[in-house]
Amino acid sequence: MAWVYLAAAAVFEVIFAMSMKYAEGFTRLAPTIVTVIATIGGIGFLTLAMRSLPVSVAYPIWTAVGTLGTVILGCVLLQEPLSPLKLVSALAITGGVAGLKMTSA
């Protein structure tokens, strides 16, 4: 169940980052509300995941999945460029997450 909680936390992390961009410095009400709810959801589910997962695995995976999701959605929704360096860096994050997952098996 901890991995389900961690996946939910990561989804909330991506929602948090994207809604923060759309909140435009907290000047738009709806995205600001989504940002606050996503923050609470992400931290809440991360806390539940850490009941049984080590912090050295759960927290880096949470941030990495949030980072990757945000990079992908930034490219798709916001037309941010995906440079070769950005792509290689995202793949390096994915490799690190895979390594951390293997250490908790």
Side-chain angles (χ1 to χ4, degrees), residues 60-94:
I61 289 175
W62 177 62
T63 59
V65 173
T67 300
L68 292 172
T70 303
V71 167
I72 291 166
L73 288 180
C75 292
V76 172
L77 298 178
L78 303 173
Q79 287 74 49
E80 294 177 355
L82 184 60
S83 67
L85 181 57
K86 189 183 285 188
L87 182 60
V88 168
S89 298
L91 291 173
I93 291 169
T94 304

Side-chain angles (χ1 to χ4, degrees), residues 1-35:
M1 194 63 185
W3 291 104
V4 173
Y5 290 145
L6 188 57
V11 168
F12 276 108
E13 176 74 0
V14 174
I15 293 169
F16 155 77
M18 295 303 295
S19 63
M20 192 167 43
K21 174 67 174 172
Y22 287 109
E24 296 178 5
F26 301 120
T27 60
R28 298 180 62 215
L29 182 61
T32 296
I33 291 169
V34 172
T35 299

